[in-house]
Amino acid sequence: MLDAAGLRVMRAIAEQGSFTAAATSLGYTQPAVSQMVRRLEQRAGTVLVERIGRTVRLTEAGQLLATRAADILDRLDAAEAEMTAIAGLQAGRVRLMAFPSSSATLVPRALARLRESHPAVTVQFSEAEPPESLAAVRAGSVDLAVAFAYEGTDAGRGEDDLSGLVVLDVLVDPVMLVLPREHELAGQDEVDLADLSADRWIAGCPRCRGHLLSLAHGAGFDPDVTFETEDYVAVLGLVAAGLGVALVPQLILSTVSHPDVVIRPISPPSRRTVQVVTTPDLRKVPSVAATLSALCASARELGGHGAGEHVPAP
């Protein structure tokens, strides 16, 4: 029934005491103010302004509306100021979820870059592996997810519906073999995966374990998975102790190391793609767009070759 323009007119009439003065203060014409008052009275179903010659006096209903208008308009002005700040990156909140190994590499670089360029933007950060992080984007509980997909699978790996989401490939991450330094194949420049069929294996996250099983089956054997841990420091420690071998993405090996292991490429080679997932509408939000840009820039610093964008079909 009411609108902001009408409320501003009622407040101006109460403050100025006439249609003419109210019109001048608002930058309207006097007939426009009169018309807006008549429209308000029609909507309210009662008289709001008593006209006395060239002056006016608010009725009881008019006084009530003018009083309420002051508070409502103050709140509207505050909301407009806050939205302007968000649009201008003088404020804003981004909810970011990422898989753990990116939390030690890609994400810190991106957040430092974002803080330098847009210090007023706040980032709420949490960790989860895909597909949990992807489901969080779809559910609206996070704005951006840093996920990954191994070759031959999409970001959802069939476990989450990504239709209509925006997926940006930001980094290609080679998968490397980690061997004990005393392993008989440690001296080779590249190791054929089939030559490790008799070894014990250490597996990582569920998705990484699935990747290991797929590669091993392709090489003609079922891996003997002796240990499973998502802590890659522990993975390297287990390998160094001679308890098995492991496949570890290069992104992780850029932050963790152990003097008693060697790192070798595998044949056939394998890689995973690091991806950032959001929605088309959220990508237009300035703070989300700025965070996405920072993630892409950080990926390029780590050896990425730019973002390839795709929207999975329904």
Side-chain angles (χ1 to χ4, degrees):
M1 184 178 70
L2 303 176
D3 57 67
L7 293 176
R8 293 188 191 282
V9 165
M10 290 302 299
R11 182 173 66 177
I13 292 172
E15 292 174 348
Q16 303 298 328
S18 72
F19 282 9
T20 301
T24 300
S25 69
L26 295 172
Y28 297 161
T29 64
Q30 191 273 338
V33 169
S34 298
Q35 185 178 10
M36 294 174 75
V37 170
R38 284 196 299 270
R39 186 163 60 245
L40 278 173
E41 290 177 332
Q42 289 171 356
R43 292 175 176 175
T46 187
V47 176
L48 300 175
V49 179
E50 180 183 3
R51 297 151 182 88
I52 307 172
R54 294 187 177 182
T55 62
V56 295
R57 183 167 57 203
L58 299 182
T59 65
E60 180 182 8
Q63 290 174 347
L64 173 64
L65 185 58
T67 300
R68 297 296 189 205
D71 181 57
I72 293 170
L73 292 171
D74 285 345
R75 290 174 181 269
L76 280 175
D77 289 343
E80 289 176 357
E82 290 172 4
M83 287 190 293
T84 298
I86 291 173
L89 288 171
Q90 300 305 308
R93 178 202 65 178
V94 178
R95 298 164 300 170
L96 173 65
M97 183 174 283
F99 62 93
S101 58
S102 70
S103 301
T105 50
L106 175 64
V107 171
R109 289 171 177 261
L111 296 187
R113 179 184 292 272
L114 182 68
R115 184 176 62 180
E116 181 178 353
S117 59
H118 305 295
V121 174
T122 301
V123 177
Q124 295 180 350
F125 175 71
S126 57
E127 282 188 337
E129 300 275 358
E132 288 79 11
S133 59
L134 304 174
V137 173
R138 175 146 319 265
S141 55
V142 299
D143 304 312
L144 288 167
V146 180
F148 64 88
Y150 285 103
E151 287 180 308
T153 62
D154 62 14
R157 203 183 61 172
E159 298 170 351
D160 190 59
D161 178 17
L162 294 183
S163 59
L165 298 180
V166 175
V167 180
L168 291 99
D169 300 337
V170 297
L171 180 67
V172 174
D173 191 16
V175 176
M176 309 298 288
L177 174 68
V178 181
L179 299 166
R181 186 166 292 280
E182 301 303 322
H183 195 282
E184 60 182 0
L185 300 178
Q188 296 187 7
D189 293 334
E190 181 180 270
V191 178
D192 192 322
L193 198 62
D195 293 338
L196 298 164
S197 60
D199 281 77
R200 292 173 295 182
W201 287 84
I202 300 158
C205 70
R207 181 160 295 190
C208 300
R209 176 189 170 94
H211 177 62
L212 167 62
L213 294 175
S214 176
L215 287 180
H217 292 164
F221 69 95
D222 291 319
D224 176 14
V225 179
T226 306
F227 297 98
E228 293 183 41
T229 174
E230 297 183 26
D231 183 343
Y232 281 100
V233 174
V235 170
L236 266 60
L238 291 168
V239 172
L243 298 175
V245 299
L247 295 180
V248 179
Q250 181 64 52
L251 188 64
I252 297 164
L253 295 172
S254 66
T255 60
V256 296
S257 61
H258 197 291
D260 296 324
V261 304
V262 295
I263 300 165
R264 296 290 182 264
I266 58 172
S267 177
S270 180
R271 63 183 187 176
R272 68 178 182 176
T273 301
V274 178
Q275 300 166 316
V276 182
V277 182
T278 187
T279 70
D281 288 335
L282 283 174
R283 191 182 178 188
K284 300 173 186 176
V285 175
S287 56
V288 174
T291 306
L292 182 56
S293 177
L295 286 166
C296 292
S298 297
R300 288 193 295 271
E301 290 177 355
L302 292 169
H305 302 291
E309 178 181 336
H310 52 102
V311 179

